[in-house]
Each structure stands twice: as structure tokens, then as C-alpha cells.
Amino acid sequence: MRFLMLTTLVLCTLALTPVQAANKSCLSEISADDASKIKIGSYTGKLKTDATNLRLGPGTRYCVGLIETSKAKELSVTGSLVTWLRVELDGKALWVHRSLVEKNTSH
């Protein structure tokens, strides 16, 4: 049990889910097709959940680039593609599913 907990902690520290650590077939760069369809936009928001997977591209076929564990973490939304939002978080451009972001309503 301790080994499993330690392994999970190490994988989370490396920003990999256990599935991705076992299966490295995820994409690490946005495809040209996806890049051509990105809609540009700009607003701020916050994450709705803890332990949110932020990906390197718009979809689950892209690798997780960061696992954010702070609910309500502020981020800037800079674009979208269907149900995915391109966000800036801690100086990194990443992607998160739209359902996991709450748009800020205060100015």
C-alpha cells in the first residue's frame, strides 16, 4: 500500500497520470488541424475542481502537462476549440475542458 501511494505521488509530481506513465502514446504537440481551428478569445476564470488535468492540447489524446491541485486557481483563457479552453497558468499555455472552468464575472 505504501509503495502504491509513493508511486502515485511521484507520478503526480512528474505531471503524469498512472495511465499515461504506462502508455506514452499521448500527443505532446498540437496537430496542425487542431491549430487551424482555434478561436481566439480572452477572459479570466478559475478552476472548479481540485486535481485538474491541464493538457498540452485540446483533447484527451494530448498528454497532461500539469496537474493543478488548487481549486479556484486563477487563470487566463486565451482561446478555445469546441469544448476545450486554451489557458495561461503559471506562464504555461495549456488546455482544459470547458466544464472545469468557471468564468470570472467581476471586473
Side-chain angles (χ1 to χ4, degrees):
M1 181 70 165
R2 281 186 165 152
F3 176 75
L4 179 60
M5 289 173 55
L6 180 59
T7 302
T8 302
L9 177 63
V10 169
L11 291 173
C12 287
T13 302
L14 296 173
L16 294 174
T17 65
V19 171
Q20 289 167 334
N23 179 7
K24 297 184 189 262
S25 64
C26 59
L27 300 175
S28 60
E29 293 183 19
I30 297 175
S31 70
D33 184 51
D34 283 346
S36 70
K37 297 175 185 172
I38 296 171
K39 293 181 182 175
I40 305 301
S42 182
Y43 62 89
T44 60
K46 59 186 177 182
L47 297 174
K48 291 181 180 179
T49 63
D50 291 327
T52 302
N53 288 340
L54 294 138
R55 297 183 175 274
L56 300 178
T60 56
R61 69 182 186 273
Y62 290 95
C63 298
V64 172
L66 177 70
I67 298 175
E68 180 55 57
T69 57
S70 299
K71 186 176 180 180
K73 178 84 174 194
E74 282 280 323
L75 46 84
S76 294
V77 176
T78 59
S80 64
L81 181 63
V82 189
T83 59
W84 291 85
L85 300 175
R86 183 176 61 193
V87 300
E88 294 272 331
L89 182 66
D90 299 332
K92 295 181 182 178
L94 299 162
W95 292 82
V96 64
H97 194 272
R98 182 182 306 274
S99 67
L100 301 175
V101 175
E102 181 178 329
K103 187 176 183 177
N104 284 346
T105 55
S106 62
H107 300 291

